[in-house]
Structure formats: structure tokens, C-alpha cells
Amino acid sequence: MRHFGHIPPAVRESLFFREPCEFDADSPADVLSAALGATLYSPATRPRLADDVVKQAGLGVVSMVLCLEDSIDDAEVVGAEANLVRQFADLAERADDIPLLFVRVREPEQISDLTRRLGSSVRLLSGFVLPKFTEERGELFLEALTAAEAVAGRRLFAMPVLESPELLHLETRSDTLRGIARTVDKYRDRILALRLGVTDFCSAYGLRRAPDMTAYDVQIVGAVIGDVVNMLGRSDGTGFTITGPVWEYFRLQERMFKPQLRRSPFAGQAEDLRTTLIEHDLDGLLREIELDRANGLLGKTCIHPSHVLPVHALSVVSHEEYSDAQDILRPERGGGGVLRSAYTNKMNEVKPHRAWAERTLRRAEVFGVAREDIGFVELLAAGVTD
């Protein structure tokens, strides 16, 4: 699979200076963690779940979570597990080119049980999403994952979800973060990414952000995100990929504030695209994606297919970013120094900007580099119309 692999090759060639790389479930962990992109969640109760997975793969989705936790009623868990096993068997018979598939469980015991029940179709499983992750709960989940790997005979990844009240509350946050850090470091080879449960953060205070506000506008949530990145997202080799929070909206809502998309990037025929994005409250999503990246996050939890393309389009590295990153990382720059960018509009300071450049080239590998005259509007339009 590859990002933007669902659009025709000729169109892809016209968009990219450097096309996204191909990868699969057996690719190196650092490639997969960067390539997760918009991870689409789906309740495991859906009766045509296998069809949904195949359909979404054809629309550019590269990672999905099949959920047995908060997206379904407590009374539905047993039926959802049985449905999940049936749908995996269906997929195993008829589909090879499918997204990376993860199962969001409720308890550690489900990991071993489901791995056993999946039988040979476990080859389609990339791992598990671990909810309400703390040091104590996390150790149990990751021990179960280790045992499940032996049963499956294949590598299985974990994606812990950081969403517990102990992480949100100021008096327990530091100790909780230190405990999480100890646990994920112990099982580092199995941790693909850390996910943020912002809906649960808001729930602890009876809050819900409006569609014209981002997670970062809710100050108590923004503070937690900053602390998580501070301790778990460092670029010194100790950090992990941390993904952006879910965007909850996908239909027209009554607005209090003006739309957040300027007209000028959407001149001409793309004005219709701007209108569509605004009507579906996706202008707020676009702003939050930009803030995710500015705050050190990569990829995003998604609950609606319409969110996938915006996440991927804004993850593509611009030609300008790529030029700067390459200049900073040239071997002859190893001693440091300052240089004017090739675009002559900024200073590139070699040593302070090195970690940014390395992260940018990693993103360029999996999401590609846009041609010099291509922006996110063209990338969005190509995905919508093709």
C-alpha cells in the first residue's frame, strides 16, 4: 500500500516531486509509525465490516481500528467479538490489499482470546489499541500482547491510548506520565504509536469543544497534550510517535464564528471544494491538523471517512520544507552553521533545526513531497475528484 495509491498514477506523478513510498504490515516499525496517517475507527458490530474495510482501502485509508470499547454498548461486546472473528475470516478469503488493522480491546484477556479465535486470519492483524493506558494497566496489556505474539507467530504492535483521569488531573499528571514512560520504554519494540483520548479528557470536566474550536483552544486539554509531548515525544531517541486527537464533527453545524479557510488558495474551480469543506465543518479540522503538527503530533484518529483525505493532504511535505530539510542535513553541514534557505525567505540553523529536518524527511518518505507549484488544495481536489 501507499498514501495516495488510490488515485491514478498519472495524476499522482503530476502532484508529487517525490512520490510516497510503498509499505506493508511487515515494513520496519519506524516506517509504519510515520505512515499511519488518518487512522479510521469503526465499531466492530458493523454487519458488513469486511466490505467496509475493502471499500475504505480503495479510498486511500491505510490504517483502521476495529473497536470493541467505547464505540459499542457494554451489552454488545460478546456479539461484536464473534462478528469480528467472522469478518476477519471473510477478509482472509478475498482481500490482500487491506489497511493495517488493529483491534481496540477493553481488557487484557481479550488480546489472547481474540488472537486464538482468529486462527489463520490473524495474519491480517497488525496489533491492538490499548485504552485508558497507565503503568499498572499497561503492564497487563503488554504482557498479554507478548503472549499473543507467540500464539500468532507474527509481530503484533500496541497503540496505547492516553486518556485516563490520572493523566488529566494536575496533582497526578507527572507521576502518571513517568509511569507510562517506564512501561512503554520497557516494551519499546512493540509500541507503534501513542494515541491521545481527548474526548475522555474533556469528559472529566464535562466539556465538549465546538466545531469551530480545536483541541488546543480548550486550555486544559492543550496543556495535557503539551506535557505528553514533553515527556514522550522527544527527538533524542527516547520519544515515540504521538498521534493527533479525534475530530468529532462531520455534518453542518450552526456557526458562531466565520469560516477559517481563506478564499485565495481556493481560487477558480476549487472554490466549490472550499464550500464543501466549510459545509461539513472540515475547516476546523484542517486548522487542528496544522496545530497537531506544530505541536509535535503525526497522524490523527478519525471517526468519519471524510476526515481521511484532509489529514493525508496536509501530511504531504511541501517542496519548500523538503528543500530546507535536505540543505540542513547535507554531510558538509555536520559542523553546524547558519544558511539562507533556497527559497530565500528564512534562516536555516543547522544544529537546532536538525531534528526537525530528520522528522520532515521521514514524513516525506511515507507521504511524499509535493511539486513546487502544488499545495494542499490540489492534493485535496485530486483525492475528491478521482
Side-chain angles (χ1 to χ4, degrees):
M1 71 189 87
R2 70 197 306 175
H3 284 292
F4 297 92
H6 65 297
I7 65 177
V11 175
R12 196 165 60 240
E13 184 178 355
S14 71
L15 295 172
F16 288 96
F17 173 78
R18 174 182 172 182
E19 291 193 24
C21 71
E22 293 185 345
F23 58 91
D24 59 31
D26 296 318
S27 294
D30 61 334
V31 172
L32 295 182
S33 66
L36 286 167
T39 300
L40 184 63
Y41 276 54
S42 178
T45 51
R46 291 181 66 86
R48 303 191 64 179
L49 187 58
D51 292 335
D52 295 341
V53 170
V54 173
K55 177 183 178 180
Q56 295 307 323
L59 296 174
V61 172
V62 303
S63 63
M64 290 186 69
V65 173
L66 313 179
C67 185
L68 294 166
E69 207 225 1
D70 284 348
S71 69
I72 66 173
D73 189 275
D74 295 347
E76 296 178 304
V77 174
V78 172
E81 289 178 342
N83 184 59
L84 193 68
V85 172
R86 288 193 300 271
Q87 302 294 334
F88 262 80
D90 186 358
L91 281 171
E93 288 183 358
R94 63 190 179 95
D96 290 321
D97 188 16
I98 63 169
L100 304 172
L101 295 180
F102 302 86
V103 174
R104 185 181 187 184
V105 293
R106 295 182 172 217
E107 301 298 337
E109 295 77 14
Q110 288 178 296
I111 293 177
S112 300
D113 181 55
L114 286 170
T115 302
R116 176 185 56 80
R117 291 167 65 184
L118 286 173
S120 61
S121 64
V122 76
R123 65 182 176 82
L124 304 180
L125 180 66
S126 289
F128 292 91
V129 175
L130 314 179
K132 299 171 179 61
F133 192 93
T134 61
E135 182 175 22
E136 183 178 84
R137 279 174 58 85
E139 188 79 31
L140 297 174
F141 273 121
L142 290 166
E143 286 176 356
L145 180 75
T146 302
E149 278 190 330
V151 173
R154 61 173 281 107
R155 179 180 67 176
L156 294 174
F157 286 115
M159 291 200 290
V161 185
L162 310 186
E163 57 185 347
S164 65
E166 299 93 331
L167 181 60
L168 186 64
H169 296 158
L170 186 60
E171 68 273 19
T172 53
R173 186 180 306 165
S174 293
D175 286 343
T176 301
L177 271 173
R178 280 193 286 268
I180 290 170
R182 284 191 294 268
T183 305
V184 294
D185 185 62
K186 179 179 176 181
Y187 292 90
R188 178 171 293 274
D189 291 345
R190 291 184 171 85
I191 306 297
L192 189 61
L194 305 177
R195 312 199 73 89
L196 292 166
V198 164
T199 301
D200 280 48
F201 288 166
C202 290
S203 173
Y205 289 88
L207 305 175
R208 185 173 191 178
R209 71 187 189 274
D212 44 12
M213 293 186 180
T214 71
Y216 303 93
D217 294 316
V218 183
Q219 293 191 19
I220 195 167
V221 171
V224 178
I225 294 174
D227 287 346
V228 169
V229 174
N230 190 327
M231 186 167 288
L232 297 170
R234 299 175 186 178
S235 60
D236 59 1
T238 66
F240 297 84
T241 294
I242 303 171
T243 65
V246 67
W247 182 258
E248 298 180 351
Y249 298 96
F250 49 86
R251 289 183 181 175
L252 179 63
Q253 308 287 328
E254 183 177 357
R255 286 182 173 273
M256 182 178 297
F257 301 111
K258 290 181 178 180
Q260 301 174 60
L261 286 180
R262 292 169 53 244
R263 289 183 180 275
S264 53
F266 293 87
Q269 294 181 342
E271 175 62 30
D272 290 340
L273 175 59
R274 178 180 180 272
T275 301
T276 299
L277 292 170
I278 291 171
E279 287 178 347
H280 289 80
D281 283 322
L282 296 183
D283 53 325
L285 169 63
L286 293 173
R287 180 166 177 262
E288 186 167 283
I289 295 166
E290 288 286 271
L291 288 170
D292 286 342
R293 191 162 76 245
N295 285 278
L297 311 184
L298 180 62
K300 199 165 187 66
T301 295
C302 295
I303 47 83
H304 195 271
S306 64
H307 299 170
V308 172
L309 183 58
V311 173
H312 291 171
L314 284 173
S315 297
V316 173
V317 173
S318 71
H319 188 273
E320 182 174 345
E321 290 177 307
Y322 185 66
S323 173
D324 288 340
Q326 282 199 312
D327 283 349
I328 290 165
L329 295 176
R330 292 188 190 283
E332 63 268 26
R333 307 287 186 193
V338 178
L339 59 149
R340 185 175 63 173
S341 73
Y343 276 69
T344 68
N345 60 357
K346 72 177 74 66
M347 173 194 74
N348 287 329
E349 195 168 352
V350 174
K351 288 184 178 179
H353 290 146
R354 177 171 292 275
W356 169 85
E358 291 171 345
R359 177 175 288 197
T360 298
L361 291 189
R362 190 177 310 120
R363 182 161 56 92
E365 180 182 4
V366 294
F367 288 102
V369 179
R371 289 189 178 274
E372 193 168 356
D373 58 343
I374 297 296
F376 79 93
V377 172
E378 289 82 7
L379 293 162
L380 279 170
V384 169
T385 59
D386 292 290

